[in-house]
Amino acid sequence: MQTLFILNDAPYGNERSYNALRLAKALAKREGETVRLFLMGDAVACAKTGQHVPEGYYNAGDMLRMVGGEVGLCGTCLDARGLNEDELIEGTRRSTLSELTAWTAEADKVLVF
């Protein structure tokens, strides 16, 4: 089973991206499951390197790495926020709407947060 998660919200401020990453991580642990994540809008900040959060608070970048699987980031959204590819955590990459379209067509389930 292949699940695509599409995240739209900033990593901090509300808990939508946090909850999406929690679910993606849990699902990725299941046998026979493949998880892909596509970050767009303010969610691209989840993949920003150098996040320093208060002790005991979740770190979206660390959580993103724990999920595993493919992680694409909307290139237009990165540009709009002034984020360059060298500022992204390892295992994530700039992507396109065309790739999101293909991933959506290939997925058995699509979850949008």
Side-chain angles (χ1 to χ4, degrees), residues 1-2 12-13 17-18 28 38-39 42 47 62 69 78 83 96 99 104-105 109 113:
M1 186 71 69
Q2 189 170 98
Y12 310 105
S17 289
Y18 167 71
F38 194 91
L39 283 54
D42 288 337
D62 290 345
L78 287 169
L83 292 172
T96 63
E99 185 168 51
T104 301
K109 295 178 278 185
F113 285 81

Side-chain angles (χ1 to χ4, degrees), residues 1-68:
M1 186 71 69
Q2 189 170 98
T3 304
L4 170 62
F5 285 79
I6 301 173
L7 282 65
N8 289 282
D9 283 341
Y12 310 105
N14 68 47
E15 294 186 345
R16 277 189 208 105
S17 289
Y18 167 71
N19 286 321
L21 292 170
R22 287 176 55 217
L23 179 57
K25 180 182 169 189
L27 189 60
K29 289 180 180 179
R30 295 180 61 123
E31 188 174 327
E33 294 287 342
T34 301
V35 172
R36 285 178 167 162
L37 295 113
F38 194 91
L39 283 54
M40 40 191 342
D42 288 337
V44 296
C46 292
K48 172 85 171 74
T49 60
Q51 296 179 41
H52 299 285
V53 297
E55 188 174 330
Y57 200 70
Y58 69 92
N59 182 307
D62 290 345
M63 292 182 73
L64 195 55
R65 281 189 288 270
M66 288 184 237
V67 172

Side-chain angles (χ1 to χ4, degrees), residues 49-99:
T49 60
Q51 296 179 41
H52 299 285
V53 297
E55 188 174 330
Y57 200 70
Y58 69 92
N59 182 307
D62 290 345
M63 292 182 73
L64 195 55
R65 281 189 288 270
M66 288 184 237
V67 172
E70 290 184 84
V71 181
L73 285 76
C74 170
T76 304
C77 303
L78 287 169
D79 292 344
R81 287 152 184 83
L83 292 172
N84 299 312
E85 290 181 65
D86 62 342
E87 296 177 275
L88 303 178
I89 62 172
E90 188 176 334
T92 66
R93 63 180 172 74
R94 182 182 188 93
S95 188
T96 63
L97 189 61
S98 293
E99 185 168 51

